[in-house]
């Protein structure tokens, strides 16, 4: 194949329609037809990246191998396609303006007035094309965040208009995703919001090529015809996206609706053989026909928000499904766990996970959850702050260092068992300054981690400032908690385990970022396995 084909996904009517899942599903279908695909997310906010955002704002911050803090949609892309994403896959308005303003300060614009058009739109177009250039792709799918009509999306829609024109209709198409609401009083599906949303796009000079309609109820031919007529789109290009039981079913639903075929035809490409989705379908079969269930307690402090622990929830689904099991994961608010109730709260769970996090709030509840898991031989997985809390719990309750803490929580502790790395101490700015992205970790042969990975060395993604304090390592090893994963370059402790326990593993890194549908993460797999025993 010669030129990269560009697919833009815009959204109308409302947010949260699942543009990310539609993008990932289309990407999956094209990939399963043998094409090289990458998906990009554009976020129209002024932050440079979501690393400085509270999870309550936009959900989890996802971290790529190259250490970029990104939008959680990139997690969907990786989980669906099984291909790593990078810096180039997430563009924000903050990045675009920063680049343009830096160029202006250097004098790169040679005395010209710097404007949204063409300077901002040119930078947007450069970022969209960069991804294809870097990876020699057949398809780039670019998901434009936000909803058409938002002031902040305007420069992106204009960039899409220009690219569509410049690249020509055989090289760039727009898919518009909207909602067809069902009015129960009238017992009717309504297309008017879609018509208005397409009008908004047209006002900005963009005619969508395909419309995907999110709906709770199956669409009649009449509804599709109406959308076709009012939106200047042939009826084959009006696609139904009915609610699915699982997001992982969406690629199959999109295949049924011939979304992939329609896309190929728009590009005047040969449709060829059906996509090979055999492993995907096997996964889905297991997902809907599991034989066992296992109850897991997950402890965190952003539990009110479904998206805050997206990757962890999905990692459970992947790992459990491959064992024909349904993991029932109950999220427990760490601030609600206390000395009086913790035994009662955790008594019925077969496994306990303590989630990543920042700051002091909820920390004591996490420590109590770990105490319960340790004392009652309940499989435990601690991720990042979860691992750090396990280290603190062990210091306080086994080593007898009653005021042990992380210096993130208590700078004056006598036992700083978790402490800031030396090179973090001089850092004063918050953005992109943590230990981020992939680092190698050597595993000890006799460990739960080695049993899970079956490898001497693994590479895992990080996002933290604090570390296990190696000054205390001998105390831990003597008392029965052991460092089983070490960074070979820096000697930092990456995994702590209690060998005498059934399955007690704390990891400084984030295994949840690299679990995919077809390749569940080994630590989640073994955690579930042990919880099932
Ligand atoms: N707050 C801890 C640190 O910065 C843990 C971070 C996390 O859980 N991602 O080290």
């Amino acid at each position: 194949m010669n030129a990269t084909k560009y697919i833009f996904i815009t959204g109308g009517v409302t947010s949260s329609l699942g543009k990310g899942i539609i993008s990932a599903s289309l990407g999956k279908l094209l990939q399963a037809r043998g094409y090289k695909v990458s998906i990009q997310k554009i976020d129209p906010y002024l932050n440079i990246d979501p690393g400085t955002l509270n999870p309550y704002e936009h959900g989890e911050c996802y971290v790529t191998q190259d250490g970029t803090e990104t939008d959680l949609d990139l997690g969907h892309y990786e989980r669906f396609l099984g291909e790593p994403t990078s810096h180039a896959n997430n563009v924000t308005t903050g990045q675009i303006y920063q680049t343009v303003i830096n160029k202006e300060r250097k004098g790169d614009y040679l005395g010209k007035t710097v404007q949204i058009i063409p300077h901002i739109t040119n930078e947007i177009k450069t970022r969209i094309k960069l991804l294809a250039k870097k990876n020699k792709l057949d398809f780039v799918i670019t998901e434009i965040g936000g909803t058409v009509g938002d002031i902040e999306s305007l420069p992106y829609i204009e960039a899409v208009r220009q690219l569509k024109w410049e690249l020509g209709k055989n090289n760039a198409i727009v898919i518009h995703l909207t909602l067809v609401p069902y009015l129960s009083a009238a017992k009717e599906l309504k297309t008017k919001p879609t018509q208005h949303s397409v009008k908004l796009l047209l006002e900005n000079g963009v005619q969508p090529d395909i419309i995907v309609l999110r709906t709770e109820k199956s669409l009649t031919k009449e509804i599709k015809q109406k959308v076709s007529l009012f939106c200047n789109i042939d009826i084959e290009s009006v696609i139904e996206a009915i609610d699915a039981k699982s997001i992982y079913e969406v690629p199959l639903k999109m295949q049924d609706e011939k979304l992939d075929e329609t896309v190929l035809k728009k590009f005047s490409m040969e449709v060829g053989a059906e996509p090979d989705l055999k492993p995907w379908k096997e996964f889905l079969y297991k997902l809907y026909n599991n034989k066992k269930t296992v109850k897991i307690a997950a402890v965190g402090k952003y539990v009110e928000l479904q998206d805050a622990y997206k990757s962890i929830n999905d990692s459970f689904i992947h790992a459990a499904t491959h064992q024909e099991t349904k993991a029932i994961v109950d999220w427990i608010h760490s601030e609600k766990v206390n000395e009086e109730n913790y035994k009662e709260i955790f008594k019925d769970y077969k496994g306990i996970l303590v989630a990543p996090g920042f700051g002091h709030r909820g920390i004591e509840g996490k420590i109590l959850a770990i105490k319960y898991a340790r004392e009652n031989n309940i499989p435990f997985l601690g991720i990042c702050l979860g691992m750090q809390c396990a280290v603190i719990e062990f210091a306080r309750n086994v080593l007898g260092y009653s005021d042990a803490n992380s210096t993130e929580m208590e700078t004056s502790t006598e036992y700083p068992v978790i402490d800031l790395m030396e090179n973090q101490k001089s850092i004063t700015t918050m953005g992109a300054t943590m230990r981020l992205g992939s680092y190698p970790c050597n595993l000890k042969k006799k460990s739960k981690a080695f049993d899970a990975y079956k490898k001497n060395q693994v590479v895992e993604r990080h996002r933290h400032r604090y570390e296990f304090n190696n000054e205390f390592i001998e105390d831990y090893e003597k008392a029965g908690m052991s460092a089983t994963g070490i960074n070979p370059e820096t000697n930092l402790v990456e995994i702590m385990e209690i060998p005498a326990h059934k399955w007690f593993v704390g990891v400084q890194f984030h295994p949840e970022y690299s679990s995919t549908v077809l390749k569940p993460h080994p630590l989640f797999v073994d955690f579930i396995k042990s919880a099932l025993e």
Side-chain angles (χ1 to χ4, degrees), residues 256-267:
D256 289 345
E257 282 285 301
K258 300 195 173 16
L259 176 62
D260 51 336
E261 266 190 60
T262 311
V263 164
L264 293 172
K265 283 183 191 155
K266 292 280 171 200
F267 288 124

Side-chain angles (χ1 to χ4, degrees), residues 10-24:
T10 55
V13 181
T14 159
S15 56
S16 305
L17 284 181
K19 283 196 298 275
I21 302 299
I22 294 291
S23 305

Side-chain angles (χ1 to χ4, degrees), residues 9 18-28 39 77 141-143:
I9 314 249
K19 283 196 298 275
I21 302 299
I22 294 291
S23 305
S25 298
L26 175 59
K28 182 77 220 167
I39 313 174
Y77 309 160
I141 300 175
T142 301
E143 177 192 343

Side-chain angles (χ1 to χ4, degrees), residues 356-358 384-385 388 408 463-466 510:
F358 294 85
C384 209
L385 182 63
Q388 297 176 356
E408 180 182 6
R463 182 176 188 246
H464 56 101
R465 287 183 210 283
Y466 294 82
H510 291 263

Side-chain angles (χ1 to χ4, degrees), residues 37 45 49 54 68 87 92 94 139 143 164 218 248 252 278 340 440-441 443 466:
V37 188
Y45 48 65
D49 60 47
N54 186 311
T68 313
H87 187 72
T92 70
F139 290 97
E143 177 192 343
K164 245 192 127 186
S218 198
Y248 298 124
L252 302 182
K278 201 166 164 254
E340 280 71 58
C441 168
L443 303 180
Y466 294 82

Side-chain angles (χ1 to χ4, degrees), residues 22 53 63 71 119 127 133 155 163 199 248-250 272 284 308 316 355 365 389 428 442 446-447 450 463 490 517 520:
I22 294 291
L53 287 172
V63 180
D71 183 75
H119 302 99
R127 298 286 181 121
K133 228 199 257 163
L163 275 174
K199 274 214 185 92
Y248 298 124
E249 200 186 325
V250 179
L284 212 61
F316 274 122
C389 287
T428 50
N442 286 354
K446 281 201 178 105
S447 66
F450 185 88
R463 182 176 188 246
T490 53
V517 171

